[in-house]
Amino acid sequence: MQKTYDAQNIFARILRGEIPNKTVLDTPHTLVFDNINPAAPVHVLAIPKGAYVDFSDFATNASEAEITDFHRACAKVCEMLGLEAGGYRCITNAGAHGMQEVPHYHLHIIGGRVLGRLVDPA
Ligand code: 5GP
Protein backbone atom coordinates (compact mmCIF):
# COMPACT_ATOMS: atom_id res chain seq x y z
CA MET A 1 0.00 0.00 0.00
CA GLN A 2 1.38 3.40 -1.02
CA LYS A 3 1.44 5.83 1.93
CA THR A 4 1.80 9.59 1.72
CA TYR A 5 4.51 11.07 3.92
CA ASP A 6 3.67 14.30 5.77
CA ALA A 7 6.89 16.33 5.73
CA GLN A 8 5.53 18.56 8.51
CA ASN A 9 5.27 15.77 11.09
CA ILE A 10 7.11 16.44 14.35
CA PHE A 11 9.91 13.94 13.75
CA ALA A 12 10.59 15.36 10.28
CA ARG A 13 10.92 18.73 11.99
CA ILE A 14 13.30 17.25 14.58
CA LEU A 15 15.41 15.79 11.76
CA ARG A 16 15.56 19.22 10.06
CA GLY A 17 16.70 20.79 13.35
CA GLU A 18 13.54 22.89 13.68
CA ILE A 19 12.66 21.34 17.06
CA PRO A 20 15.28 20.42 19.69
CA ASN A 21 15.80 16.90 20.96
CA LYS A 22 17.95 15.10 23.49
CA THR A 23 20.03 12.93 21.18
CA VAL A 24 21.23 9.56 22.44
CA LEU A 25 22.80 8.33 19.19
CA ASP A 26 23.20 9.87 15.74
CA THR A 27 24.35 7.60 12.87
CA PRO A 28 24.36 8.07 9.09
CA HIS A 29 20.78 6.81 8.69
CA THR A 30 19.32 6.87 12.21
CA LEU A 31 18.59 9.25 15.08
CA VAL A 32 17.79 8.04 18.61
CA PHE A 33 16.52 10.54 21.17
CA ASP A 34 14.70 10.73 24.49
CA ASN A 35 10.92 10.58 24.41
CA ILE A 36 9.49 13.89 25.63
CA ASN A 37 6.86 11.97 27.62
CA PRO A 38 8.60 8.82 28.91
CA ALA A 39 6.54 5.81 29.98
CA ALA A 40 9.41 4.24 31.95
CA PRO A 41 12.83 5.23 33.36
CA VAL A 42 14.29 4.61 29.88
CA HIS A 43 12.13 5.52 26.91
CA VAL A 44 13.87 6.53 23.72
CA LEU A 45 12.63 6.78 20.15
CA ALA A 46 14.67 5.51 17.21
CA ILE A 47 13.84 6.98 13.81
CA PRO A 48 15.30 6.49 10.36
CA LYS A 49 16.46 9.72 8.73
CA GLY A 50 14.60 8.79 5.56
CA ALA A 51 10.94 9.67 4.99
CA TYR A 52 9.05 6.51 5.98
CA VAL A 53 5.54 6.57 7.41
CA ASP A 54 5.57 3.38 9.43
CA PHE A 55 7.15 -0.02 9.94
CA SER A 56 5.93 -1.62 6.73
CA ASP A 57 6.87 1.42 4.64
CA PHE A 58 10.39 1.28 6.09
CA ALA A 59 10.76 -2.51 5.84
CA THR A 60 9.49 -2.51 2.25
CA ASN A 61 11.10 0.60 0.80
CA ALA A 62 14.26 1.45 2.76
CA SER A 63 17.67 0.42 1.44
CA GLU A 64 19.58 -2.43 3.03
CA ALA A 65 22.06 0.12 4.36
CA GLU A 66 19.28 2.07 6.09
CA ILE A 67 17.69 -1.06 7.54
CA THR A 68 20.99 -2.40 8.83
CA ASP A 69 22.06 0.95 10.26
CA PHE A 70 18.71 1.38 12.02
CA HIS A 71 18.75 -1.99 13.74
CA ARG A 72 22.41 -1.79 14.69
CA ALA A 73 21.79 1.67 16.16
CA CYS A 74 18.88 0.34 18.23
CA ALA A 75 20.96 -2.55 19.53
CA LYS A 76 23.82 -0.20 20.36
CA VAL A 77 21.49 2.07 22.32
CA CYS A 78 20.18 -0.90 24.35
CA GLU A 79 23.77 -1.61 25.33
CA MET A 80 24.65 2.07 25.91
CA LEU A 81 21.64 2.63 28.17
CA GLY A 82 22.28 -0.50 30.24
CA LEU A 83 19.14 -2.32 29.15
CA GLU A 84 20.68 -5.65 28.22
CA ALA A 85 20.97 -7.00 31.76
CA GLY A 86 17.40 -6.36 32.86
CA GLY A 87 15.68 -6.51 29.51
CA TYR A 88 13.59 -4.07 27.55
CA ARG A 89 10.78 -3.78 25.04
CA CYS A 90 10.77 -2.46 21.50
CA ILE A 91 7.38 -1.33 20.19
CA THR A 92 6.22 0.30 17.01
CA ASN A 93 2.72 1.61 16.50
CA ALA A 94 1.15 1.82 13.05
CA GLY A 95 -2.03 3.43 11.83
CA ALA A 96 -5.31 3.97 13.62
CA HIS A 97 -5.58 0.61 15.41
CA GLY A 98 -1.94 0.87 16.49
CA MET A 99 -2.70 4.40 17.74
CA GLN A 100 0.29 5.86 15.90
CA GLU A 101 0.49 9.57 16.71
CA VAL A 102 3.50 10.64 14.69
CA PRO A 103 3.48 9.46 11.04
CA HIS A 104 7.23 8.94 10.73
CA TYR A 105 8.39 5.40 11.48
CA HIS A 106 9.78 5.09 14.99
CA LEU A 107 10.69 2.34 17.39
CA HIS A 108 10.01 2.90 21.08
CA ILE A 109 12.81 1.35 23.18
CA ILE A 110 11.53 1.10 26.74
CA GLY A 111 13.08 -0.29 29.92
CA GLY A 112 14.53 0.43 33.33
CA ARG A 113 11.75 -1.33 35.23
CA VAL A 114 9.52 -4.38 34.90
CA LEU A 115 7.04 -3.50 32.17
CA GLY A 116 3.36 -4.38 32.18
CA ARG A 117 1.61 -6.65 29.77
CA LEU A 118 2.08 -5.84 26.11
CA VAL A 119 -1.57 -5.24 25.30
CA ASP A 120 -4.42 -4.44 27.67
CA PRO A 121 -7.30 -6.89 27.37
CA ALA A 122 -10.11 -5.19 25.46
P1 5GP B 1 3.35 6.99 18.68
O1 5GP B 1 2.08 7.07 19.45
O2 5GP B 1 3.28 7.70 17.36
O3 5GP B 1 3.89 5.60 18.58
O4 5GP B 1 4.43 7.74 19.58
C1 5GP B 1 4.81 9.06 19.42
C2 5GP B 1 5.71 9.41 20.57
O5 5GP B 1 6.37 10.63 20.27
C3 5GP B 1 4.97 9.62 21.89
O6 5GP B 1 5.45 8.67 22.84
C4 5GP B 1 5.35 11.06 22.30
O7 5GP B 1 5.63 11.18 23.67
C5 5GP B 1 6.55 11.35 21.44
N1 5GP B 1 6.69 12.75 21.06
C6 5GP B 1 5.72 13.54 20.53
N2 5GP B 1 6.20 14.76 20.26
C7 5GP B 1 7.51 14.75 20.64
C8 5GP B 1 8.55 15.74 20.60
O8 5GP B 1 8.36 16.89 20.18
N3 5GP B 1 9.77 15.36 21.07
C9 5GP B 1 10.00 14.10 21.54
N4 5GP B 1 11.24 13.83 21.96
N5 5GP B 1 9.05 13.13 21.58
C10 5GP B 1 7.81 13.46 21.13
Side-chain angles (χ1 to χ4, degrees), residues 91-101 108:
I91 300 172
T92 187
N93 298 317
H97 285 187
M99 299 187 71
Q100 182 180 7
E101 292 173 17
H108 297 252

Side-chain angles (χ1 to χ4, degrees), residues 55-70:
F55 166 76
S56 60
D57 187 16
F58 180 68
T60 303
N61 297 312
S63 68
E64 291 184 14
E66 290 175 294
I67 290 170
T68 299
D69 181 275
F70 182 80

